[in-house]
Amino acid sequence: LGVSHKLVHALPMNTRCNVHGVHVTFIDANHCPGAVIIVFEVPSEQGLVRIVHTGDFRASREHVEQILRIVAIDTQKAVLPEHVMCAQATPCVSPTIDYVYLDTTYLQPSYVFPPQTDVVRAVASFCTKVNTDASFLPNFGHKPNPRISPITRWFPSRNPQSVRKRRVLFVVGSYTIGKERLFIEIAQHLGARIYVSPAKRRMLECLGSSQLVQMLAPDMSAQVHVVEMSKVNMKGMAEHLASAQKCGGFSSVVAFSPTGWAHSGMHYGARPEPRGPDPLDPGLADPESHAGFERTTQLLAQAACMHGDSTFTIDNLKPRGSSSTVTIFPVPYSEHSSFAELARFVCSLKATHIIPTVFSSPAINDTAARWLRHWQTINIHFERWARAADANIPPTHHPTLGLRDCKNIV
C-alpha cells in the first residue's frame, strides 16, 4: 500500500488497547490469516459507545462469546487473552452493542455452506484415494455404462500397469491470501510438499509459520500446487500441467476451486431462494406481540431449515469440467459467513444498529435489510424472555436454530 513502516503499529490479539482514548480489541475473524474483528469502545458525552466491525469473517459461537466477554468488562479494567479466551460461561445479561458493521457477502437464504472442517476433510480424503488408486478418479461419481457388456468388463486393460504408474498433480486455487487450511491439509494427507509462485511464497513467509515454510518446495516437482483462482479452468490447468510435466512427471491434474460461490448450480446445495420477510405483513406489525414474533421466527426457520447448515462428504464432490488429463472440482470452502451463521450472529448480539458492509442490487439490498430488521426483532423477544424468567415463563425452544436461551444461538 506504500505506507511507511514507521506508521504501522501492531496490536496484540485478544487484548484491550487504548488508542488515542479509544479502547480497541482485536479477535480472530476466522477468515484468512491476519483478519480480525475489531471491538471499539468509544467514550462520549452520552456514555460509552460500543462498535463491532466484523470485516470479512466467518461467524461462530466463539465470536459471540468473545465479544460479550469484552464488553461486559469495565473499561477501567484490563482485557487480556485469558479473559477473552476463557472457558467460563458467557454473561447472559450484557451491554448493548450500539453499532455492528456486518460482513453481508452471503446474506441470502440460498447460500449454503457446510462446516469448513467437513470440506477440508472430504477434499483431503478424496485426494488420498486418487493418489493411492488413479483409477478411482475416472469412475468417481459415474454409474456403470449399461451399453458395456458385462462380459467385456472382465477383459484386462491393454496395459494393466499404466494406471498405477500415473502421477497425479493436485492444484488448489487461491487469492493473494486465503485457502491455507485446504492446501495444507491436502499436502499433509499426501505426505507431499507445496509449490507456490515466488510472490505467493513471500506472502506465506510473512505468516510466521516455520512449519508451513518447511512444506514449501523450490520447484514444480511438488505434488500440491497453489495457483491464482482465475487460472482454475480447463485451459489454465492444461497449460499448468504442461509446465509441471517437465520436472514433475505428472500425467494428469485434479484441481479445486474453493469458494462460497461453489454452493450454486448442480455442484452443491442449490435450492430455490425464498423472498425475505415482508415489512408490510400484518403479522410483523408489532414486534412485541407474540404473533409478530412467531411469524418472524417462522420465516427465519423456513430459510434456516431449507438452506441452513449441512454436511459435506466425498459424495458431494461433482466435477465442473473434465478431460482425459484435467478434472476440476468446485468446493464450497468459504471464509465468509453463510446465511444461517449470519442469522445466529445477529440474533445473539443485542445491537441497536446493524450496518451491512457489502452491497449488491437494490432488490437484494432491500431483502437483506428485511432479514436484519427481523433478526433484531427476535433479539427483542430474547430480552423479554430474560426479564420474564422470574415469572416462570419458559423460553421458546426452536429446534432448527437452537434458540435455548437469550444468547445461546450460534
Side-chain angles (χ1 to χ4, degrees), residues 10 59 80 97 132 141 170 211 247 260 263 266 275 293 298 348 379:
L80 301 173
I97 308 295
T132 303
F170 298 95
Q211 179 184 8
C247 60
H263 86 288
M266 61 176 288
R275 182 171 174 78
F293 172 75
Q298 179 186 13
S348 299
N379 209 320

Side-chain angles (χ1 to χ4, degrees), residues 34-157:
V36 296
I37 295 173
I38 308 178
V39 180
F40 296 98
E41 297 166 291
V42 186
S44 70
E45 296 180 356
Q46 291 74 33
L48 196 65
V49 179
R50 299 176 178 87
I51 303 170
V52 173
H53 199 302
T54 67
D56 288 347
F57 83 132
R58 181 144 189 190
S60 69
R61 176 194 295 271
E62 288 73 22
H63 287 143
V64 173
E65 293 175 343
Q66 291 166 9
I67 291 170
L68 294 182
R69 290 188 190 118
I70 292 169
V71 299
I73 298 176
D74 189 278
T75 54
Q76 300 301 316
K77 299 180 180 179
V79 171
L80 301 173
E82 53 264 33
H83 302 139
V84 178
M85 308 298 290
C86 68
Q88 70 183 36
T90 305
C92 187
V93 179
S94 60
T96 298
I97 308 295
D98 296 284
Y99 298 92
V100 174
Y101 290 84
L102 185 68
D103 169 20
T104 50
T105 299
Y106 294 125
L107 208 169
Q108 295 183 55
S110 60
Y111 287 114
V112 183
F113 306 142
Q116 208 177 70
T117 52
D118 284 6
V119 176
V120 170
R121 187 183 304 113
V123 173
S125 299
F126 175 77
C127 293
T128 301
K129 289 181 179 293
V130 173
N131 191 54
T132 303
D133 179 10
S135 65
F136 176 77
L137 182 61
N139 298 321
F140 177 74
H142 298 286
K143 296 180 179 179
N145 189 339
R147 297 182 179 179
I148 298 178
S149 167
I151 297 177
T152 59
R153 295 193 187 115
W154 289 81
F155 294 168
S157 63

Side-chain angles (χ1 to χ4, degrees), residues 100-270:
V100 174
Y101 290 84
L102 185 68
D103 169 20
T104 50
T105 299
Y106 294 125
L107 208 169
Q108 295 183 55
S110 60
Y111 287 114
V112 183
F113 306 142
Q116 208 177 70
T117 52
D118 284 6
V119 176
V120 170
R121 187 183 304 113
V123 173
S125 299
F126 175 77
C127 293
T128 301
K129 289 181 179 293
V130 173
N131 191 54
T132 303
D133 179 10
S135 65
F136 176 77
L137 182 61
N139 298 321
F140 177 74
H142 298 286
K143 296 180 179 179
N145 189 339
R147 297 182 179 179
I148 298 178
S149 167
I151 297 177
T152 59
R153 295 193 187 115
W154 289 81
F155 294 168
S157 63
R158 295 183 180 181
N159 184 3
Q161 301 298 321
S162 61
V163 169
R164 281 179 292 214
K165 289 182 179 180
R166 294 173 58 189
R167 188 174 187 225
V168 181
L169 171 64
F170 298 95
V171 175
V172 177
S174 176
Y175 303 115
T176 303
I177 194 167
K179 318 302 179 185
E180 289 79 13
R181 294 170 187 166
L182 184 59
F183 61 74
I184 289 174
E185 189 75 11
I186 293 173
Q188 290 177 336
H189 268 65
L190 299 177
R193 300 185 72 184
I194 304 168
Y195 172 77
V196 299
S197 67
K200 181 75 171 181
R201 184 185 182 101
R202 290 193 295 271
M203 178 65 69
L204 294 177
E205 288 174 345
C206 293
L207 303 183
S209 171
S210 57
Q211 179 184 8
L212 175 56
V213 171
Q214 291 175 0
M215 296 178 70
L216 300 180
D219 56 50
M220 299 182 78
S221 63
Q223 196 174 8
V224 178
H225 290 195
V226 180
V227 302
E228 295 177 14
M229 194 75 75
S230 60
K231 292 183 178 179
V232 184
N233 53 61
M234 296 300 293
K235 181 176 182 294
M237 288 299 93
E239 294 174 350
H240 188 83
L241 175 62
S243 299
Q245 282 176 328
K246 299 176 182 178
C247 60
F250 300 105
S251 58
S252 61
V253 57
V254 174
F256 300 95
S257 177
T259 170
W261 304 112
H263 86 288
S264 61
M266 61 176 288
H267 307 298
Y268 180 76

